[in-house]
Amino acid sequence: MASSLTKDSALPGTPGSEKSFFGHPRGLATLFMTEMWERFSYYGMRALLPLYLVAPAGLGLDAGTAIAIYSVYVSTVYLLAMPGGWFGDRVWGPRKTVAIAGSVIMAGHLVLALPTAGTFYFGLLLVAVGSGLLKSNISTMVGHLYDGPNDPRRDGGFTVFYMGINLGAFAAPLVIGTVGQKVNWHLGFALAALGMALGLAQFLLGSRHLSAKSSVVPKPLDVAERNATLRKSMIWLLIAVVFYAIVVGTGTYTLNWVMVPLMVIGLVVPVMVLARIKRDKELTRTEQSKVSGYIWFFVAAAVFWMIYDQGGSTLALFAEKNVDTQVFGWEFPVSWFQSVNPVLVMALAPVFATVWLALNRSDREPSTIAKFSGGLVMVGISFFVFLLPLTAADGGAVSPWWIVLIYFCQTTGELMLSPVGLSVTTKMAPAKYASQMMGVWFLAVTAGDAVTGLLSTYGVDLNKTSVVAAEAALAVLAGVGVFMYRRKVKELMGDVR
């Protein structure tokens, strides 16, 4: 790392301005490494999760229950990103929140590493809570490193930071997946804890290079607000404790008593948040119009993530049973397929950026709506492709290249929709809700995964050809529908393009 640190002509007063990390403030190296190791732990555990849930030496669950648990877990991570941002803004400040989050995530992985089924779900809960706390706040601290939104290095800094995410996501299945599948499941989870420990150590040791703003609580709770928040939290906690005590005491408790409420919350919360923003009388007519336009993008994104996130559950379980994982007589762990997407992202992201720039110069760059439509169509095509090996699997193991092709289609869709979604969220957000709208964007993932979880919970076989075909058709039709109504959406968007 030292070889990449050079003298910098950074703006005076910028944190770490005496040195740079690839031309950026030195603090970016701290956040880059923290995020890389956190993603290493998260994606490593995620690659193992559905396989462990169905393995005879794991929890031995059926595929439907495993997909539901996986979907609830991912949904909860993104659901908690919004309260995580609230804690950073109102209670601890971003830096302290990230330090606490890293500790909670590490503790969660250590609990998962215990060879007892009874503690497993508690470990998952800890990792979900920690990830939610960390997700919004570490991105906020990247922004603090620069001299406002007009700093010319800002976009490049987030690009470098994004590479850290994908490096961690790429390495995790290869290391954690191999150890978990080939040696011991719980040792794999322990490696995820080690990854988070390294990230936390990197963060604490390098925190002196971060901006002083990262330690500030932007809008601290006053005494009355703090007391009211504690009182409401305790009331809801008491209600939950009493309810589940009754359920357990009457002998009617099953895992669905936890999963179904979480999935319903994952659907209800996004609707409530968007409805609250839409009803706000303080918003101007232009802002109201933009919120109405944004709802189109939100629903489209929810459909996209509903299919995309099945790459770690439905596809992973299909590959476990039906894909030939031997190359020249050597068998690789099926969890390695989870490294395909981050490799493709790192390879294709510069290509997409170059193409968009070239088209922009000739005034032919597709609109935001067109890119969104393209993303939906591509994720739909990925599941139409999935139908081919799904059908062929009845005659034996299919080629692993089918899985690679499916991930390729999904990644191209991701690069058309995800970065554009982040950008349009910041552009269409009412000034009053500038920060909260980023949490709203994450809620699209929550909604999509909640739908997947509910379908699995109530007996829908997501690896059935008719279901895969229906999901593929839904995504393509949604993409075509958004494109057909592009003029109406453009009108609602106002001056945003």
Side-chain angles (χ1 to χ4, degrees):
M1 189 64 67
S3 61
S4 66
L5 299 177
T6 58
K7 292 295 180 183
D8 186 23
S9 56
L11 297 171
T14 300
S17 60
E18 72 284 354
K19 290 184 178 179
S20 75
F21 176 67
F22 295 112
H24 293 273
R26 177 64 180 85
L28 184 61
T30 297
L31 299 177
F32 175 96
M33 294 297 291
T34 303
E35 181 72 355
M36 185 190 76
W37 283 114
E38 189 274 331
R39 293 290 90 181
F40 175 85
S41 69
Y42 174 78
Y43 280 100
M45 187 277 295
R46 210 172 87 157
L48 288 182
L49 180 57
L51 304 175
Y52 172 77
L53 290 172
V54 300
L59 295 188
L61 304 175
D62 61 86
T65 303
I67 291 173
I69 292 172
Y70 177 93
S71 300
V72 169
Y73 168 70
V74 177
S75 174
T76 304
V77 167
Y78 285 90
L79 177 66
L80 293 174
M82 181 170 279
W86 181 86
F87 268 93
D89 287 342
R90 308 297 308 275
V91 184
W92 293 323
R95 185 185 299 188
K96 185 176 180 180
T97 303
V98 167
I100 292 172
S103 302
V104 173
I105 293 170
M106 183 176 66
H109 287 307
L110 288 173
V111 172
L112 291 174
L114 298 174
T116 56
T119 59
F120 180 80
Y121 297 106
F122 180 60
L124 273 186
L125 175 63
L126 288 176
V127 176
V129 170
S131 298
L133 286 171
L134 185 139
K135 196 162 189 64
S136 300
N137 289 286
I138 195 165
S139 298
T140 298
M141 288 194 291
V142 174
H144 287 165
L145 296 172
Y146 299 95
D147 187 28
N150 295 321
D151 189 322
R153 301 167 301 165
R154 186 184 180 93
D155 287 350
F158 274 97
T159 301
V160 173
F161 179 71
Y162 192 63
M163 292 301 289
I165 294 174
N166 285 286
L167 282 173
F170 164 69
L174 302 180
V175 178
I176 295 174
T178 301
V179 172
Q181 280 195 269
K182 296 295 186 181
V183 183
N184 180 276
W185 293 108
H186 297 285
L187 185 57
F189 294 132
L191 277 180
L194 176 62
M196 190 64 253
L198 290 171
L200 183 59
Q202 168 73 23
F203 180 77
L204 295 175
L205 291 172
S207 60
R208 66 185 184 277
H209 299 294
L210 301 176
S211 168
K213 288 188 290 186
S214 296
S215 298
V216 175
V217 181
K219 191 180 178 183
L221 293 171
D222 58 36
V223 175
E225 286 179 306
R226 186 181 296 273
N227 291 339
T229 302
L230 286 172
R231 185 170 58 253
K232 290 177 183 178
S233 300
M234 292 306 296
I235 290 172
W236 281 110
L237 179 61
L238 181 61
I239 291 172
V241 169
V242 171
F243 175 77
Y244 283 104
I246 293 172
V247 170
V248 172
T250 55
T252 57
Y253 175 81
T254 65
L255 193 58
N256 284 352
W257 280 106
V258 175
M259 291 201 300
V260 172
L262 285 174
M263 287 182 281
V264 171
I265 289 171
L267 285 174
V268 170
V269 168
V271 174
M272 290 178 60
V273 171
L274 284 169
R276 179 172 59 86
I277 294 174
K278 191 74 180 70
R279 292 197 308 266
D280 193 331
K281 302 297 184 183
E282 294 183 9
L283 300 186
T284 65
R285 179 174 297 180
T286 300
E287 288 177 324
Q288 287 277 3
S289 177
K290 287 180 179 179
V291 172
S292 297
Y294 184 76
I295 291 173
W296 283 76
F297 293 108
F298 181 90
V299 174
V303 173
F304 177 88
W305 295 118
M306 179 186 72
I307 295 176
Y308 179 91
D309 273 349
Q310 289 183 59
S313 55
T314 306
L315 273 174
L317 294 179
F318 170 79
E320 171 74 0
K321 286 187 175 182
N322 302 291
V323 175
D324 182 7
T325 55
Q326 287 196 349
V327 178
F328 303 118
W330 175 74
E331 186 174 0
F332 63 89
V334 72
S335 57
W336 282 22
F337 282 121
Q338 299 306 310
S339 289
V340 173
N341 171 257
V343 165
L344 290 174
V345 168
M346 289 186 286
L348 295 177
V351 175
F352 272 77
T354 302
V355 169
W356 296 147
L357 188 60
L359 290 173
N360 181 266
R361 287 171 180 162
S362 58
D363 200 29
R364 292 185 299 166
E365 182 181 2
S367 66
T368 295
I369 299 170
K371 290 176 182 177
F372 248 74
S373 298
L376 279 166
V377 169
M378 286 308 301
V379 84
I381 288 173
S382 77
F383 261 35
F384 278 128
V385 172
F386 184 24
L387 287 172
L388 299 175
L390 198 58
T391 304
D394 291 337
V398 299
S399 169
W401 289 107
W402 284 115
I403 303 298
V404 174
L405 179 58
I406 293 168
Y407 284 139
F408 175 83
C409 294
Q410 292 187 348
T411 303
T412 56
E414 176 189 6
L415 291 171
M416 296 177 75
L417 183 141
S418 185
V420 175
L422 289 168
S423 176
V424 79
T425 297
T426 60
K427 291 176 182 177
M428 296 179 71
K432 182 178 179 180
Y433 297 100
S435 298
Q436 292 183 45
M437 284 295 282
M438 193 55 68
V440 172
W441 171 251
F442 289 137
L443 289 178
V445 185
T446 295
D449 282 305
V451 171
T452 303
L454 284 170
L455 290 173
S456 294
T457 298
Y458 288 103
V460 177
D461 184 358
L462 295 176
N463 265 319
K464 194 174 181 179
T465 52
S466 59
V467 177
V468 171
E471 290 185 87
L474 172 64
V476 171
L477 289 173
V480 172
V482 170
F483 188 76
M484 286 179 62
Y485 283 88
R486 63 190 181 279
R487 290 182 180 175
K488 176 179 178 61
V489 179
K490 280 183 179 178
E491 290 177 5
L492 293 171
M493 292 170 68
D495 58 353
V496 176
R497 289 291 177 265

